[in-house]
Amino acid sequence: MAKGLQLNEVWLERIAGQLNDMEFGSLHIVVHEGQIVQMERTERKRFENTPSKPVKAGIAARARQDLKKAAPDRR
């Protein structure tokens, strides 16, 4: 039979602390045998889709080359 989860003031404060200042995201609470054993916070940052300063073509091409060098060859 499942044990009931008991929350005291300490846990409520911990949960509230994890949720403070979160605009977008989730808080995953892991319960084992009726007790909280872990909290996982995933926060998302969202940015407006506004035009930014154009990147010089040379810089962008160089960044792509650097990424290709760092990636393992999957052939």
Side-chain angles (χ1 to χ4, degrees):
M1 178 172 249
K3 294 181 181 180
L5 178 63
Q6 298 293 320
L7 286 179
N8 59 22
E9 200 64 34
V10 172
W11 278 109
L12 293 174
E13 288 177 15
R14 288 178 181 172
I15 293 168
Q18 291 295 311
L19 294 172
N20 281 342
D21 300 325
M22 184 187 296
E23 289 186 61
F24 302 98
S26 61
L27 179 64
H28 182 87
I29 300 172
V30 179
V31 177
H32 182 73
E33 294 184 0
Q35 293 193 352
I36 296 174
V37 294
Q38 182 174 329
M39 289 191 289
E40 299 172 8
R41 176 180 164 149
T42 304
E43 189 170 0
R44 306 279 189 236
K45 296 290 184 184
R46 300 201 179 180
F47 304 97
E48 291 182 24
N49 193 11
T50 58
S52 60
K53 294 192 307 185
V55 177
K56 293 183 179 178
I59 294 172
R62 188 192 213 157
R64 281 193 300 275
Q65 289 174 349
D66 290 345
L67 287 173
K68 285 181 183 178
K69 288 178 186 176
D73 190 11
R74 297 186 182 178
R75 294 181 198 175

